[in-house]
Amino acid sequence: MSLTKTERTIIVSMWAKISTQADTIGTETLERLFLSYPQTKTYFPHFDLHPGSAQLRAHGSKVVAAVGDAAKSIDNIGAALSKLSELHAYILRVDPVNFKLLSHCLLVTLAARFPADFTAEAHAAWDKFLSVVSSVLTEKYR
Amino acid sequence: MVHFTAEEKAAITSLWGKMNVEEAGGEALGRLLVVYPWTQRFFDNFGNLSSPSAILGNPKVKAHGKKVLTSFGDAIKNMDNLKTTFAKLSELHCDKLHVDPENFRLLGNVLVTVLAILYGKEFTPEVQASWQKMVAGVASALASRYH
């Protein structure tokens, strides 16, 4: 699965808008993830997961920054996320099913914050883009 | 069996009360067909599905989306009894329509995304969690009679 030129344009132009709210988007995405899919909290026993927690904010920032890195290197996501891919494969070992859950929560966050931009085409492009990112992050699992 | 708390039921019914079922249903089904094009396999007789605007403007898509979301209304009136409520529809989707239950999960998530677009800030993480439970319950009830 690879992104068309149109899809790349949509992602890159939306990213420009998103990046100004990156931190709060990250925090909101994680809040949505932990509330809708409580089993995902099992990966964070060492975190304070209360809304507003500093750790949640820091981690949300990290996650969205990585999505931004992928958007900025959209022609070579594999290279841009290579280190993160190794981290997930050898250290974090998050079960692959969870990437879909996180992707969905990020989409919902974007849809709620940018309803006018989140057309059906944008929805499709983002779903595909996050799917590519998830594949890159799990490609070294075995 | 899914159990809904009073707060979850309130979050679900209050949003449902404001919803334009025809619009939201058409949008949700249309987006399913755009975002996951392989789902078009069930709708060969729907006419023009050649582009996102063709799909979203297609009258058969809108009508069918309305039908599907109206049926959700039954779920909302019977939240404590989803499996019984959808028993017949489950048999229909298995025996006559031959729909892989994975499609129910896909549509449920597309519906949640449409709700986020429609309600923005009001679609808080807590409200979303209630609706995720709802769509998961409906998907599971629709799959329950598969054999």
Side-chain angles (χ1 to χ4, degrees), chain A residues 65-85 133 136-137 139-140:
Chain A
V67 172
D69 288 342
K72 281 177 242 154
S73 298
I74 202 160
D75 294 324
N76 198 348
I77 297 176
L81 299 187
S82 170
K83 282 263 164 316
L84 256 187
S85 179
V133 169
V136 166
L137 291 177
E139 79 187 348
K140 298 175 185 175

Side-chain angles (χ1 to χ4, degrees), chain B residues 29-146:
Chain B
L29 184 64
R31 281 176 183 252
L32 178 76
L33 299 174
V34 169
V35 179
Y36 310 107
W38 54 93
T39 58
Q40 293 170 23
R41 70 191 295 285
F42 300 108
F43 302 105
D44 278 338
N45 63 335
F46 267 30
N48 187 3
L49 298 179
S50 60
S51 71
S53 52
I55 291 172
L56 291 164
N58 183 310
K60 283 190 171 178
V61 171
K62 289 188 195 189
H64 196 68
K66 179 184 179 185
K67 196 182 193 183
V68 169
L69 201 58
T70 302
S71 166
F72 238 82
D74 288 341
I76 301 207
K77 289 189 222 117
N78 292 282
M79 279 191 251
D80 295 322
N81 215 347
L82 293 175
K83 287 207 156 61
T84 316
T85 306
F86 285 105
K88 282 259 162 316
L89 263 182
S90 178
E91 286 169 6
L92 178 79
H93 281 76
C94 174
D95 300 330
K96 294 274 176 334
L97 304 177
H98 311 293
V99 177
D100 177 347
E102 180 59 22
N103 292 286
F104 309 142
R105 287 166 216 118
L106 287 181
L107 182 60
N109 279 341
V110 172
L111 177 61
V112 164
T113 309
V114 169
L115 294 179
I117 292 170
L118 291 175
Y119 298 107
K121 265 196 136 99
E122 205 183 327
F123 199 65
T124 62
E126 288 79 7
V127 171
Q128 179 190 350
S130 305
W131 274 91
Q132 294 290 169
K133 229 172 145 174
M134 175 92 249
V135 301
V138 170
S140 168
L142 277 174
S144 64
R145 293 292 181 110
Y146 272 56

Side-chain angles (χ1 to χ4, degrees), chain A residues 26-140:
Chain A
T27 312
E28 186 181 324
T29 298
L30 290 180
E31 277 175 14
R32 289 181 183 279
L33 180 71
F34 295 137
L35 271 175
S36 283
Y37 307 107
Q39 68 274 20
T40 56
K41 294 188 288 186
T42 56
Y43 290 97
F44 301 94
H46 53 303
F47 265 30
D48 166 13
L49 293 178
H50 291 106
S53 104
Q55 281 177 313
L56 206 56
R57 262 180 292 129
H59 198 69
S61 286
K62 249 192 206 173
V63 169
V64 171
V67 172
D69 288 342
K72 281 177 242 154
S73 298
I74 202 160
D75 294 324
N76 198 348
I77 297 176
L81 299 187
S82 170
K83 282 263 164 316
L84 256 187
S85 179
E86 286 169 6
L87 180 75
H88 282 78
Y90 307 131
I91 316 289
L92 302 178
R93 291 170 291 182
V94 172
D95 190 286
V97 74
N98 294 288
F99 292 96
K100 279 194 180 182
L101 305 181
L102 180 65
S103 297
H104 172 64
C105 289
L106 176 55
L107 279 192
V108 169
T109 303
L110 295 181
R113 286 176 178 239
F114 304 98
D117 298 281
F118 213 71
T119 60
E121 286 97 329
H123 182 167
W126 274 91
D127 194 284
K128 202 171 161 186
F129 169 63
L130 293 176
S131 173
V132 170
V133 169
S134 302
S135 290
V136 166
L137 291 177
T138 55
E139 79 187 348
K140 298 175 185 175

